[in-house]
Amino acid sequence: MTDSLTQPVITAVPTLDDMMDARERVSRIVDPTPMETSRFLSTELGAPVFLKCENLQRTGSYKIRGAYNRLSRLSPDERVRGVVAASAGNHAQGVAFAARELGISATIFMPLGVPLPKLQATKQYGADVVLRGHSVEEALRAAAEFAETTGAVFIPPFDHPDIVLGQSTLGLEILDQVPDVETVIVPIGGGGLISGVASALKRRAELEGRTIRVIGVQAANAAAYPPSLAAGEPTQITTSPTMADGIHVAKPGLLNFAIVKELVDEVVTVSEADMAKALLVLLERAKQVVEPAGAVGVAAILSGQVTATGPTVVILSGGNIDPLLMLKLINYGLAASDRYLKMRIMLPDRPGQLARISELLAGANANVLEVLHTRHGKGLQISEVELELSVETRGPEHRQQVLDMLRDAGFDPRISDD
């Protein structure tokens, strides 16, 4: 084992005995999370779909499993020295909570601008929080320097055997709850969760003489695994901004990559719009509050990235989301699902035209959200006005019905994307 940022090399998938030992340790503070059936997603996929609700886990994500397993295996001397970690949220809360339960002092470096709920939760679990840098990478460097100067034990977010073993307990739990599972869909950032879950699933499947398919999902704007797998080694990429901050990682973990390369059947990517739609579906259909990183598995089903192969479990890996961000994402998801329609209509400048438009929209059961009526738009004739409307619809078909109804009435609605 190592307590520095030096990455350990793994030469084999963890053994089932090691994973069972980790499960015994982790069960001291972690209760099994619910496994919910989703009729809507089952219809979409054409196979039974179950949602593994780690968004309801203590600290709001699966991260507590790996963090507690790692900290519980520290020596007495290491516990006295304390621990340090860096994270934008979920790993921070997992380490802080585990440290409190084990009576270990914890220092957590978080980037400036971290969502307030995650910052407050980490502090409330008893950690000393230091805000440093504008990215997780800068916070990680600061944590490494702190470990070097103070002797504190660095707790990596994914790239350590103890972390992998802790996350493997989730795979064992899935097998208890859905014994006949054939496919498991897992979010991927650095690879800690999927390497642990895949290890448990594949070891047990081999023992039982059957096959379980493991599919990883990354945000397209931070998808380091596809090029890394193509290159045969962990590869640093240049990421773009993504709402899925929990899996925004530019390079796979070394031991995680080795396990993924050996055990994971496929890695797919999803867009920002795909994730926004998935969050909306989870809220409306499953009544689950999930952060964007935790919703990528559902996004993969909705976008057709996954094909049906029997009972399928989707891991909802976390639910720590800022309410203000949730509000923005709901609106984004509604737009991505064609539930908003923004249009411009040129009208003769005479009384009754606005009332006529309102009457038509009411007849089509379209809800008007915003209206802008102007005589000063570019390209308008002296006898014209421009009406800009934002309308709520029930989806693509209803959206098209509204447009067709206006055109049939002699108007020329022009769809606006801005």
Side-chain angles (χ1 to χ4, degrees):
M1 305 300 173
T2 178
D3 61 6
S4 71
L5 283 178
T6 302
Q7 304 299 337
V9 176
I10 191 165
T11 57
V13 175
T15 68
L16 197 54
D17 285 343
D18 286 341
M19 289 185 272
M20 295 300 294
D21 288 344
R23 185 176 195 179
E24 190 280 326
R25 284 189 295 275
V26 169
S27 67
R28 298 167 194 166
I29 65 165
V30 169
D31 295 324
T33 48
M35 182 74 76
E36 300 288 344
T37 302
S38 173
R39 294 184 180 87
F40 176 78
L41 291 173
S42 297
T43 300
E44 289 289 312
L45 185 62
V49 174
F50 303 87
L51 302 175
K52 179 57 172 166
C53 301
E54 283 292 285
N55 57 309
L56 302 179
Q57 185 57 264
R58 297 180 81 169
T59 74
S61 86
Y62 73 94
K63 287 284 191 177
I64 183 62
R65 297 174 183 267
Y68 187 83
N69 188 58
R70 175 71 185 114
L71 268 64
S72 66
R73 301 192 71 183
L74 295 178
S75 68
D77 174 66
E78 288 174 322
R79 294 189 182 207
V80 169
R81 287 153 51 192
V83 298
V84 60
S87 167
N90 290 346
H91 180 56
Q93 292 174 70
V95 171
F97 186 90
R100 186 187 73 181
E101 295 299 296
L102 292 165
I104 300 171
S105 64
T107 301
I108 309 293
F109 286 81
M110 305 182 81
L112 296 165
V114 66
L116 185 60
K118 295 183 178 182
L119 174 63
Q120 290 178 328
T122 304
K123 288 181 176 180
Q124 287 168 358
Y125 292 138
D128 180 17
V129 177
V130 181
L131 297 178
R132 188 70 56 82
H134 295 279
S135 67
V136 175
E137 286 73 20
E138 290 181 77
L140 278 166
R141 287 194 292 271
E145 293 171 2
F146 183 88
E148 187 69 27
T149 57
T150 66
V153 181
F154 178 77
I155 307 298
F158 45 81
D159 207 354
H160 193 285
D162 286 343
I163 300 293
V164 172
L165 282 171
Q167 317 309 16
S168 75
T169 64
L170 179 52
L172 297 174
E173 208 169 288
I174 288 171
L175 290 165
D176 289 344
Q177 295 172 314
V178 187
D180 60 343
V181 63
E182 293 186 20
T183 301
V184 178
I185 305 174
V186 190
I188 307 183
L193 177 61
I194 196 168
S195 56
V197 168
S199 295
L201 296 173
K202 297 290 186 171
R203 286 289 195 191
R204 281 279 295 273
E206 182 181 9
L207 195 65
E208 297 168 3
R210 66 189 184 104
T211 299
I212 299 176
R213 191 168 62 140
V214 180
I215 299 175
V217 188
Q218 292 205 285
N221 287 356
Y225 267 90
S228 295
L229 290 168
E233 61 182 5
T235 302
Q236 183 89 21
I237 66 165
T238 299
T239 64
S240 299
T242 175
M243 66 177 74
D245 59 341
I247 54 174
H248 191 172
V249 178
K251 185 178 181 180
L254 185 61
L255 84 167
N256 311 119
F257 176 81
I259 297 175
V260 169
K261 183 180 179 182
E262 180 179 349
L263 299 183
V264 173
D265 298 277
E266 186 180 3
V267 176
V268 301
T269 64
V270 293
S271 69
E272 300 297 293
D274 292 335
M275 286 183 278
K277 292 176 186 177
L279 286 170
L280 198 59
V281 165
L282 285 165
L283 279 171
E284 291 186 324
R285 300 287 185 154
K287 316 308 177 190
Q288 296 290 335
V289 175
V290 182
E291 63 189 90
V296 294
V298 172
I301 290 177
L302 295 175
S303 60
Q305 298 291 323
V306 179
T307 55
T309 58
T312 298
V313 171
V314 183
I315 297 176
L316 308 180
S317 57
N320 292 317
I321 184 168
D322 187 331
L324 293 176
L325 176 60
M326 174 63 81
L327 180 61
K328 294 178 183 177
L329 292 179
I330 289 173
N331 289 331
Y332 186 76
L334 288 169
S337 302
D338 287 332
R339 303 266 290 275
Y340 282 152
L341 172 60
K342 188 174 181 180
M343 57 186 166
R344 291 184 171 90
I345 306 175
M346 301 297 186
L347 300 174
D349 189 10
R350 60 174 181 262
Q353 294 301 300
L354 181 57
R356 176 60 177 150
I357 294 291
S358 299
E359 180 184 2
L360 289 168
L361 291 174
N365 291 315
N367 186 36
V368 178
L369 301 174
E370 189 175 37
V371 178
L372 176 62
H373 185 273
T374 180
R375 293 180 171 83
H376 308 298
K378 185 176 180 181
L380 287 175
Q381 302 297 321
I382 192 68
S383 59
E384 287 182 324
V385 296
E386 182 180 62
L387 186 65
E388 183 178 293
L389 289 165
S390 292
V391 178
E392 183 181 9
T393 65
R394 295 190 299 273
E397 291 184 5
H398 187 214
R399 184 175 187 266
Q400 190 59 48
Q401 289 172 7
V402 170
L403 292 170
D404 290 343
M405 176 271 302
L406 289 170
R407 288 167 182 148
D408 290 344
F411 297 101
D412 182 24
R414 302 173 186 177
I415 300 172
S416 174
D417 295 323
D418 57 18

